[in-house]
Amino acid sequence: MRHELESIFGERVSFDKVERMLYSHDVANLPEAVEKMVLKNADAVVQPETIEEVQEVVKLARQKRIPLTPRGAGSSGYGGTIPVHKGIVVAFTRMNKIISINKNLMNVTVQPGVIWSMLEEKLNSKGLALRLYPSSAPGATVGGWVGEGGSGIGSYEFGFFSDNITEIKAVTPDGELRTFKGKEMNIINRAEGITGFAVEVTLPVRKLDEEKKLLTAFIDFRKLVNAIKDINNENLPIWHMNFTTANFINNKANAVEQASKITLHTHDDDPNQQDGLPKDHHLLMIVLPKKKYLEVSARLQDIIEKNGGQILNDSFAQHEWSERFYTMRVKTLGPSLIPSEAIIPLDKIADVIEEADKKLEGISIEGSMVYHDQITLLAFLTGDERTAAYNIGFAKSLIMMDIAKKHGGSAYSVGLYFTEDAEEALGKENLQKIAEYKKQLDPHNIFNPGKILSDTGNPGLLRSAMKLGKLTPEPLLDIAEKFLSDKPKVKKKLLNTIARASYACAQCGYCTDTCTLYMGFNWESSSPRGKWYILRQYLKGNLELTQEIVDMFLMCTTCKRCNPVCQVNLPIMELWDEFRPILVNEMGFATYNGFQMMAESVHSDLNIWAGRRSERADWVPADINIEENSETAYWAGCTASFVTTNTAKNAVNILKEGGVNFCTLDKDEGCCGTPMLVAGKLDTFEFIFRNNIEGLLKRGVKEIVISCPGCYMAFAHAYPIWAQKLGYPYEFKIKHISEKTEELINKGKLKFKNPVNKKVTWHDSCHIGRHSGIYDAPRNVLKAIPGIECVEMEHNRENALCCGSVLTRIAAPPVADKLGGIRVQEAIDVEADALLATCPCCEVQLRASGQKTGKDINVLDFTDFIAESLGYEVQDSSDYTLLMWGVFEKALEIMTVDGIVNMMSDMMPEIMAAMPSSMQPMMKGMEALPDSVQSPALNIMEKMIPALMPKLLPSMMPKLMPKVLELMKQYIPDMPVQLEEKLPDMLPKVMDKIMPAMFPKVAPKLAPKMTEYMRENK
């Protein structure tokens, strides 16, 4: 079966234990007792890209009677994506294309893996908009909403999602592709995939209108409801309407305040500030087309005021609208959530809210209107799943459901947990048709077993537990919950901030598609959501960390795209920065080999490129006067000093033209330390930090002008913390070269002489963009250069794509090539003559990626254009950049498991000669044995080598090192003389550090090569 799946999907199938775990759960925070009943890891995960592949896996599963569970983004909590009978999870995330947008028919056809917010963005660019979308739009897929159904933002005008589908193409359990229209769609829609997997969906769209958001506040909730009824009676042209209770607003404010305390070294201001909102008020949001608002504004105002409400400032309305996707902010208070969701008649909603407030202290509730008479209610209680009390407290979600049903409400969705409510939720007649269809086409219950239909419903233990929860009197639940421990169980030692964050993660998936690494790998283990879940399972004792898992934790581009979209305001990237040193220094895992090489170079010569320290400042032009001491210092960084030297030369020429007196640290300038921070090597970072800070203080520096964004990030964000930690004064003003250039232009100190007639596009480097907020300065400088036309790529400023470098370029060059290629293609798409950056590392990455992916565009430093316009001849460093990266890349290849095995295979005579003297007689005796005896003896030895070699190798390495050095020179024919000089001293130190972690993987591959050598050389 494994072979057959691999033949269909190649690298898009996974049998990895961790990956299977990540695709076998959804967002729900289940109590540990329930989790053990329900969560079962799938046997495999596949990611189809075509309809044909879906059909192939369906036919294969049908033949073998293997369960198939469809998965969109796993952003719901009803268990619909949980493979309760194991089998294969079919993840539709790669089927994410927009097939067509038809303005004449006013519809759009998409694949099921399309994310709602991305679809809306694409439609908006065409002057169109979705009729409605889910409140989880940044993480949810179209196919997921087809499976679950429900309502969303825009439902006041357009109703339920099922009312807004034109056509569904689905692969049915017999492996056929069928088209469903009209009432036929009820067989597929809301059926959780038990009758068919949606592979294409056509949706009606509307014209894009500028919207007016009106936020109103009420002290009395019943008066808020009366206002809604009055608006209904007036038949006003409202598109969307939702409310949040006072508890919801207050709890959210407390959650935001608590999240803001997890600042670490983030510089961001809190984007979710709620100061100024009236306290203890219920809020009603009304959204309608702006042009229609002008016609009805007086009537709306009368209705609000008549019912005791007040219209709040537009800025509050805009803020709350921007928060419409972040209903789970309150999770931070838990750090777990106990949710409940139901459809409630408008006439009964006030009764439901009042009873819930009495019975469920502190409950947060929001509701969205569906047409004029129904409300989708979402309620949250907080808890802590790490405690024994949570097992009891979770049953309170059923109390909320009972309150809803008591007042005429019904279940919002069925999934795995509410199969007994399926008839009520889906309708008796419709449920019967679904059951008959499934029985006919899927008699062996292959498609998503355990969902919707009660006869294949949730496991007996789970159903019994839920029934027990419903029968337990509410006062007893309260007593039991208070009696049980409310203190978290700690099974693993870990920094409390990181441990709590792993549980606070909402698993909403908003960070998944924004994550640069996920764009490269397309597997959950590479995303922040996946990593938080892995860490959570580790803390629960369900999973042990391995070097392979840790490698993915370490591999982060530090792009910070995840932070702004986090549902619970976690400073994700900063938390990873805190976690890496724990993994490397405290837990004993290895960092990447490339960083070990860099670290040795830093300790010997203060730079990461294995350059000579004495040559650090050789890039300085002869006509530049460098002060010995100055209040302003220029900081070039390692890459601009040794590789992209045009960057540093241009910068000092700009300073000279602007009349700025400055110093440098000359040969005392060291690596800024950013690579060592991201590698988790804090000892090396501290060493280089002390070197740099003392050099700056000695020269009386007050302002540091920096070219490299990575260096800028270190000086602006990390250095102040380390200065305080180590007792150094830190009062430097940090300026990026783009900021300093803009300052000189504004003061009239830079005079451009030559026009530069080029169409260029600007790459926002992550470390001065999202990390440091520098977006305008480089753009303003480019606009000031005569002749330049600056165009924006599709993703720019805060939303700019990462180049894909840093740890990815070190750890997974093919993935880095893919990511860099995506960014280069965006520049090609806007027909730019050149892609400009200010980061030497981004330039290395983009040039290397462009070369590897065959995408041809000039990647230049933006100071090239400034210098050219100032009248300087500019050096093109592209070829030398690619040469130097080629050397480093080859060294990285040698330091991989396969690279080490190949090297050791090429030095087998030397390995045999280096064996300890006590083993030499045995080796020679082995060679002398007759074939009939030697072969079984060598087979035994082959099994012993993986255990023996790690013990023997340390004593053998000094003897082997001359041959290793010889082979390194042979493998890297373009090796710079500086690196060749360093190897004899540097390489033994690197090998001492990397081999203990690598050899357990090297030895099994090396063993058969050793025994084969002995056979051949008998």
Side-chain angles (χ1 to χ4, degrees):
M1 188 66 183
R2 177 175 182 142
H3 173 74
E4 291 182 79
L5 289 174
E6 285 174 338
S7 69
I8 299 171
F9 297 101
E11 293 183 353
R12 291 178 286 108
V13 59
S14 179
F15 306 97
D16 176 73
K17 176 184 176 182
V18 173
E19 216 69 65
R20 291 185 290 116
M21 176 191 73
L22 292 174
Y23 285 84
S24 299
H25 73 96
D26 59 16
V27 301
N29 290 134
L30 298 173
E32 188 173 359
V34 176
E35 193 175 78
K36 287 180 178 178
M37 292 183 222
V38 174
L39 295 188
K40 304 285 191 299
N41 284 357
D43 299 303
V45 183
V46 299
Q47 296 181 341
E49 290 183 333
T50 65
I51 293 172
E52 291 73 21
E53 287 180 346
V54 177
Q55 290 178 295
E56 282 191 76
V57 75
V58 167
K59 290 175 182 177
L60 188 61
R62 183 183 177 92
Q63 177 188 354
K64 306 284 187 180
R65 296 191 183 180
I66 296 174
L68 295 176
T69 302
R71 182 181 176 91
S75 60
S76 176
Y78 289 89
T81 61
I82 294 176
V84 289
H85 296 297
K86 299 188 176 183
I88 301 168
V89 166
V90 184
F92 284 94
T93 46
R94 293 193 198 230
M95 293 183 70
N96 58 2
K97 293 181 177 60
I98 298 172
I99 297 169
S100 66
I101 297 174
N102 194 318
K103 282 192 171 184
N104 293 326
L105 296 177
M106 291 296 286
N107 67 28
V108 59
T109 300
V110 301
Q111 291 184 320
V114 168
I115 299 292
W116 282 102
S117 60
M118 294 180 181
L119 176 57
E120 175 74 345
E121 186 179 327
K122 191 68 174 180
L123 288 171
N124 289 173
S125 71
K126 306 287 186 183
L128 301 172
L130 290 161
R131 288 188 179 190
L132 75 169
Y133 47 80
S135 59
S136 55
T141 63
V142 171
W145 215 16
V146 169
E148 186 174 287
S151 61
I153 295 166
S155 284
Y156 183 86
E157 180 176 356
F158 292 106
F160 290 99
F161 179 53
S162 55
D163 303 323
N164 293 273
I165 309 175
T166 304
E167 178 181 294
I168 301 172
K169 286 185 180 178
V171 174
T172 52
D174 56 2
E176 297 299 315
L177 176 65
R178 300 185 184 183
T179 300
F180 296 83
K181 296 181 180 181
K183 290 185 178 180
E184 284 184 335
M185 289 190 295
N186 290 337
I187 295 293
I188 301 296
N189 185 46
R190 298 193 70 190
E192 302 276 3
I194 69 169
T195 51
F197 296 167
V199 290
E200 279 187 19
V201 184
T202 300
L203 309 168
V205 297
R206 61 192 176 108
K207 288 184 178 179
L208 177 64
D209 285 317
E210 187 179 356
E211 295 165 339
K212 171 66 179 179
K213 293 93 179 177
L214 200 69
L215 185 65
T216 62
F218 296 81
I219 293 178
D220 187 329
F221 185 77
R222 288 190 175 272
K223 289 186 177 180
L224 180 150
V225 175
N226 288 337
I228 293 174
K229 291 177 179 178
D230 288 346
I231 290 170
N232 289 344
N233 292 335
E234 289 278 343
N235 203 27
L236 299 181
I238 308 299
W239 173 62
H240 173 72
M241 188 152 46
N242 75 282
F243 68 79
T244 45
T245 62
N247 267 352
F248 187 100
I249 298 299
N250 294 340
N251 289 339
K252 183 178 169 185
N254 292 336
V256 168
E257 181 182 357
Q258 181 162 313
S260 69
K261 295 174 183 176
I262 314 175
T263 54
L264 300 171
H265 54 273
T266 179
H267 79 289
D268 294 340
D269 295 325
D270 174 22
N272 306 298
Q273 188 56 256
Q274 294 179 292
D275 289 350
L277 280 177
K279 294 186 182 298
D280 301 319
H281 280 62
H282 311 282
L283 299 183
L284 176 66
M285 171 70 76
I286 302 167
V287 185
L288 69 165
K290 194 168 187 178
K291 59 187 178 184
K292 292 184 179 180
Y293 170 72
L294 298 175
E295 301 170 9
V296 301
S297 59
R299 280 187 284 168
L300 267 175
Q301 186 171 342
D302 286 345
I303 290 170
I304 301 304
E305 291 177 354
K306 181 183 76 172
N307 287 286
Q310 58 174 311
I311 297 175
L312 302 180
N313 189 288
D314 280 351
S315 63
F316 290 129
Q318 192 58 49
H319 172 267
E320 288 302 298
W321 181 245
S322 70
E323 287 284 291
R324 67 193 181 279
F325 302 129
Y326 294 92
T327 55
M328 289 195 280
R329 293 261 193 235
V330 295
K331 192 174 189 293
T332 310
L333 298 176
S336 307
L337 276 185
I338 302 169
S340 191
E341 202 166 8
I343 306 292
I344 313 290
L346 175 62
D347 286 342
K348 299 293 184 179
I349 190 64
D351 295 333
V352 169
I353 298 296
E354 288 175 359
E355 187 170 345
D357 278 340
K358 288 177 183 176
K359 292 183 175 180
L360 301 167
E361 183 181 352
I363 192 166
S364 301
I365 298 176
E366 75 160 4
S368 294
M369 290 294 300
V370 185
Y371 293 130
H372 289 190
D373 58 347
Q374 296 178 84
I375 289 175
T376 296
L377 180 144
L378 181 60
F380 293 122
L381 287 163
T382 56
D384 191 337
E385 64 188 280
R386 299 172 293 176
T387 67
Y390 190 76
N391 286 286
I392 296 296
F394 193 83
K396 290 184 174 181
S397 64
L398 300 174
I399 296 174
M400 187 67 229
M401 279 300 302
D402 286 342
I403 294 171
K405 289 184 178 182
K406 173 183 172 182
H407 296 284
S410 61
Y412 177 80
S413 191
V414 180
L416 171 65
Y417 307 127
F418 294 101
T419 55
E420 292 182 343
D421 298 316
E423 185 176 303
E424 180 184 90
L426 300 176
K428 183 176 181 179
E429 182 181 347
N430 190 47
L431 184 64
Q432 187 175 349
K433 287 181 179 179
I434 289 173
E436 290 172 356
Y437 187 89
K438 184 170 179 66
K439 185 176 181 180
Q440 179 185 350
L441 266 71
D442 189 14
H444 300 296
N445 197 21
I446 299 301
F447 269 36
N448 208 9
K451 320 299 160 50
I452 300 292
L453 301 176
S454 58
D455 60 333
T456 64
N458 47 34
L461 282 174
L462 174 60
R463 186 182 297 139
S464 299
M466 294 191 76
K467 282 183 177 179
L468 181 63
K470 290 179 180 179
L471 294 173
T472 305
E474 292 141 27
L476 289 182
L477 281 178
D478 287 334
I479 293 169
E481 185 181 20
K482 289 173 183 176
F483 177 76
L484 292 171
S485 171
D486 61 354
K487 293 183 179 180
K489 292 176 287 184
V490 180
K491 295 185 178 179
K492 304 284 181 180
K493 290 183 178 180
L494 200 63
L495 188 68
N496 184 57
T497 306
I498 296 171
R500 197 175 196 282
S502 72
Y503 284 90
C505 169
Q507 291 292 304
C508 62
Y510 291 8
C511 60
T512 303
D513 277 87
T514 62
C515 173
T516 300
L517 270 191
Y518 183 79
M519 289 171 61
F521 284 94
N522 290 113
W523 287 102
E524 281 278 350
S525 59
S526 62
S527 72
R529 171 171 77 169
K531 292 173 185 176
W532 285 128
Y533 192 78
I534 290 169
L535 190 52
R536 188 186 301 181
Q537 293 305 308
Y538 164 72
L539 290 164
K540 288 181 176 182
N542 297 332
L543 181 73
E544 287 300 319
L545 296 183
T546 64
Q547 186 64 53
E548 288 76 15
I549 293 172
V550 169
D551 284 346
M552 194 55 77
F553 270 104
L554 295 173
M555 196 188 310
C556 170
T557 67
T558 70
C559 71
K560 210 175 181 179
R561 294 190 83 216
C562 52
N563 280 32
V565 300
C566 180
Q567 180 93 236
V568 292
N569 293 324
L570 294 176
I572 299 172
M573 196 226 72
E574 290 81 4
L575 287 166
W576 291 159
D577 282 354
E578 296 287 320
F579 192 33
R580 287 192 203 96
I582 294 173
L583 290 167
V584 174
N585 299 322
E586 296 180 26
M587 300 177 76
F589 290 102
T591 190
Y592 293 119
N593 295 341
F595 287 121
Q596 297 289 9
M597 296 162 63
M598 289 182 184
E600 292 304 327
S601 181
V602 167
H603 280 287
S604 65
D605 283 84
L606 304 182
N607 70 85
I608 62 172
W609 282 98
R612 298 185 183 114
R613 177 177 179 177
S614 60
E615 297 174 352
R616 177 89 189 201
D618 282 6
W619 59 266
V620 178
D623 62 340
I624 293 292
N625 179 43
I626 306 290
E627 303 282 340
E628 187 174 339
N629 298 302
S630 176
E631 291 190 354
T632 296
Y634 171 66
W635 187 274
C638 295
T639 304
S641 295
F642 291 100
V643 182
T644 60
T645 53
N646 59 303
T647 300
K649 290 176 183 177
N650 294 338
V652 295
N653 283 327
I654 291 167
L655 295 177
K656 183 186 82 169
E657 289 292 323
V660 179
N661 294 322
F662 63 95
C663 67
T664 69
L665 265 60
D666 194 60
K667 63 182 177 59
D668 294 333
E669 180 182 301
C671 169
C672 66
T674 291
M676 298 301 102
L677 274 182
V678 299
K681 294 187 70 65
L682 298 189
D683 54 344
T684 305
F685 178 82
E686 181 178 338
F687 159 73
I688 204 68
F689 166 81
R690 289 182 185 275
N691 173 83
N692 294 337
I693 200 78
E694 288 170 8
L696 291 165
L697 292 171
K698 182 173 72 174
R699 290 164 174 79
V701 173
K702 295 182 179 179
E703 176 189 60
I704 310 171
V705 179
I706 300 174
S707 285
C708 173
C711 296
Y712 185 98
M713 181 182 72
F715 277 95
H717 307 311
Y719 274 36
I721 294 172
W722 279 77
Q724 183 177 12
K725 178 180 175 181
L726 299 176
Y728 287 94
Y730 200 86
E731 297 177 356
F732 304 109
K733 183 180 288 185
I734 311 300
K735 285 189 179 175
H736 185 257
I737 186 64
S738 64
E739 295 178 299
K740 191 65 177 180
T741 305
E742 182 186 32
E743 176 189 305
L744 295 173
I745 291 171
N746 292 340
K747 289 180 178 179
K749 293 188 176 183
L750 282 185
K751 304 296 182 183
F752 295 114
K753 301 169 186 175
N754 304 321
V756 182
N757 298 311
K758 296 281 186 182
K759 182 179 180 181
V760 302
T761 191
W762 173 248
H763 168 67
D764 291 282
S765 298
C766 304
H767 290 158
I768 62 163
R770 278 178 291 271
H771 280 260
S772 307
I774 301 174
Y775 297 108
D776 293 326
R779 287 173 169 82
N780 292 338
V781 169
L782 290 172
K783 289 174 185 175
I785 299 172
I788 279 190
E789 178 190 356
C790 195
V791 293
E792 296 285 5
M793 286 182 274
E794 179 182 353
H795 295 89
N796 57 77
R797 301 180 75 91
E798 293 89 346
N799 196 35
L801 296 183
C802 174
C803 72
S805 188
V806 192
L807 283 100
T808 318
R809 176 50 71 187
I810 298 296
V815 174
D817 292 336
K818 176 183 175 181
L819 294 170
I822 293 170
R823 190 57 166 160
V824 170
Q825 186 61 52
E826 286 202 329
I828 293 172
D829 289 343
V830 296
E831 300 179 344
D833 299 319
L835 170 56
L836 303 190
T838 185
C839 175
C841 296
C842 288
E843 291 162 26
V844 170
Q845 157 69 354
L846 293 170
R847 287 167 183 164
S849 298
Q851 182 189 56
K852 293 290 179 66
T853 57
K855 300 180 189 299
D856 185 22
I857 192 169
N858 284 327
V859 179
L860 303 173
D861 193 276
F862 98 123
T863 60
D864 289 348
F865 289 82
I866 304 168
E868 183 179 343
S869 191
L870 290 171
Y872 289 89
E873 184 177 344
V874 176
Q875 157 199 348
D876 186 350
S877 63
S878 300
D879 290 342
Y880 188 64
T881 296
L882 292 172
L883 173 67
M884 288 298 289
W885 168 248
V887 169
F888 193 66
E889 185 175 40
K890 189 63 182 175
L892 290 177
E893 288 175 8
I894 295 168
M895 296 298 170
T896 63
V897 170
D898 288 340
I900 294 290
V901 171
N902 291 336
M903 176 185 281
M904 296 185 81
S905 298
D906 288 346
M907 53 190 291
M908 202 59 72
E910 289 78 9
I911 290 176
M912 295 302 176
M915 286 284 182
S917 57
S918 59
M919 291 195 66
Q920 292 293 341
M922 183 184 75
M923 304 297 288
K924 289 178 180 178
M926 188 73 69
E927 293 173 2
L929 291 173
D931 291 344
S932 60
V933 180
Q934 186 195 56
S935 184
L938 287 176
N939 289 338
I940 294 171
M941 177 173 280
E942 188 172 310
K943 295 176 182 178
M944 294 170 59
I945 287 172
L948 282 174
M949 285 300 288
K951 299 174 182 177
L952 300 176
L953 201 61
S955 63
M956 295 168 61
M957 282 308 294
K959 299 175 186 177
L960 295 175
M961 195 52 61
K963 184 62 177 180
V964 172
L965 292 168
E966 179 187 326
L967 289 173
M968 287 287 284
K969 294 173 189 176
Q970 180 182 320
Y971 295 155
I972 312 176
D974 297 320
M975 183 185 294
V977 64
Q978 295 92 333
L979 178 57
E980 188 174 336
E981 289 174 358
K982 281 191 175 189
L983 275 181
D985 179 62
M986 184 172 78
L987 194 57
K989 296 175 182 176
V990 172
M991 297 297 278
D992 282 347
K993 287 188 169 70
I994 71 172
M995 287 307 288
M998 290 188 70
F999 211 78
K1001 298 176 187 176
V1002 169
K1005 292 187 174 186
L1006 183 64
K1009 294 181 180 291
M1010 290 182 69
T1011 53
E1012 183 63 26
Y1013 174 84
M1014 294 176 74
R1015 284 189 180 95
E1016 292 175 354
N1017 292 274
K1018 181 179 175 182

